Amino acid sequence: MIVVRAFFVALGLVVVWQAIIVVFSPPSFMLPSPLSVFEALRDRPSLWQVDAVTTATETVIGLIAGTALGVMLALLMSFIPQTKRMLLPMMVVSQALPVFAIAPLLVLWFGFGLASKIVMATIAIFFPVASAFNDGLARTDGNLLDIGRLYGASHVQQVMLLRIPSALPALVTGVRLAAVYAPIGALIGEWVGASSGLGYAMLQANARSQTAVMFASLFLLAAMSVLLRAVVDLSTRNLTPWVPETE
């Protein structure tokens, strides 16, 4: 399981980290010890009681909204092929613009609360979902489509009964990829303007040279990302039983 593997990888990194501290003795403001990071987590419960919860909320809602938007766009391009010529360039442009260029506008439009961070996460997420699902819809086995036409299936019936089931593995891949990007959008939004969240805590800690708090925030963000990916894996594992995963 991904959580178990991540735990042992993190444990190995901590061992290497502590060895670097012992051998090179870097200044604590450059590289704090693992014990200092643990103490920061212990002494600042607001990090995991408030800031981590805020970022997790933004990330989860953004993942759900981004996935829903990506699915709807892919289905729209499949049901009405003419829309693909207009929507696909707009989707590409939305991803080509620098994220930090969009974030200030979103904070200006939606405020410093959850809304702007959720929109930011949604923008970061919807493209891999829409792109993967659209590609899956467009690569349906031609023999299946020929059989559907032979039995008089309409275009809508072909999409609903043949293209969507065939594209579900691609959709699962897109959602799993989106789960990795979800915290990034929320974090960037918090860097630009927020009153709570791990990104906000990191900015405050950086201004005060509290490196241990920054590392503690990064640890919580990494743990949250691994847990989110694990939840997505468990949720989508049995979604396509006709295409079993192989090791």
Side-chain angles (χ1 to χ4, degrees):
M1 188 177 177
I2 187 172
V3 175
V4 177
R5 293 195 296 268
F7 171 78
F8 284 107
V9 170
L11 187 61
L13 290 176
V14 169
V15 171
V16 174
W17 180 2
Q18 182 60 40
I20 293 174
I21 296 296
V22 172
V23 174
F24 297 101
S25 299
S28 60
F29 68 88
M30 293 183 61
L31 183 64
S33 66
L35 181 60
S36 299
V37 175
F38 173 78
E39 290 174 347
L41 285 171
R42 182 197 62 192
D43 297 337
R44 292 192 55 167
S46 61
L47 273 179
W48 44 273
Q49 291 180 351
V50 178
D51 295 319
V53 171
T54 299
T55 302
T57 302
E58 297 163 353
T59 299
V60 171
I61 298 177
L63 177 61
I64 295 173
T67 299
L69 178 61
V71 169
M72 287 190 294
L73 288 174
L75 288 176
L76 180 61
M77 290 187 288
S78 184
F79 278 117
I80 310 176
Q82 295 82 357
T83 61
K84 188 173 183 178
R85 298 176 182 177
M86 178 182 65
L87 291 177
L88 196 57
M90 294 175 60
M91 291 165 54
V92 173
V93 169
S94 72
Q95 302 301 302
L97 293 174
V99 179
F100 278 102
I102 302 174
L105 290 175
L106 295 178
V107 172
L108 179 65
W109 293 339
F110 297 98
F112 287 87
L114 291 177
S116 59
K117 317 308 179 297
I118 292 171
V119 173
M120 193 71 223
T122 301
I123 292 175
I125 289 165
F126 87 93
F127 184 77
V129 175
S131 181
F133 194 31
N134 178 68
D135 190 59
L137 291 168
R139 295 179 183 274
T140 304
D141 188 349
N143 293 326
L144 287 176
L145 297 178
D146 289 340
I147 293 174
R149 296 188 191 99
L150 181 64
Y151 281 92
S154 65
H155 178 67
V156 173
Q157 289 174 323
Q158 290 179 34
V159 173
M160 295 296 296
L161 301 177
L162 298 176
R163 289 188 181 273
I164 290 179
S166 298
L168 282 180
L171 174 60
V172 169
T173 300
V175 174
R176 290 177 177 176
L177 182 62
V180 178
Y181 288 115
I184 298 176
L187 197 69
I188 290 176
E190 291 172 355
W191 283 342
V192 173
S195 57
S196 64
L198 292 175
Y200 173 78
M202 291 172 65
L203 284 179
Q204 296 298 312
N206 181 57
R208 296 176 173 84
S209 298
Q210 296 173 337
T211 313
V213 177
M214 293 181 63
F215 272 79
S217 301
L218 288 173
F219 168 78
L220 290 173
L221 183 66
M224 183 177 64
S225 300
V226 171
L227 287 175
L228 181 61
R229 176 57 190 268
V231 170
V232 170
D233 284 350
L234 289 174
S235 302
T236 58
R237 181 168 298 171
N238 298 320
L239 191 60
T240 55
W242 59 91
V243 188
E245 296 184 4
T246 57
E247 295 294 337

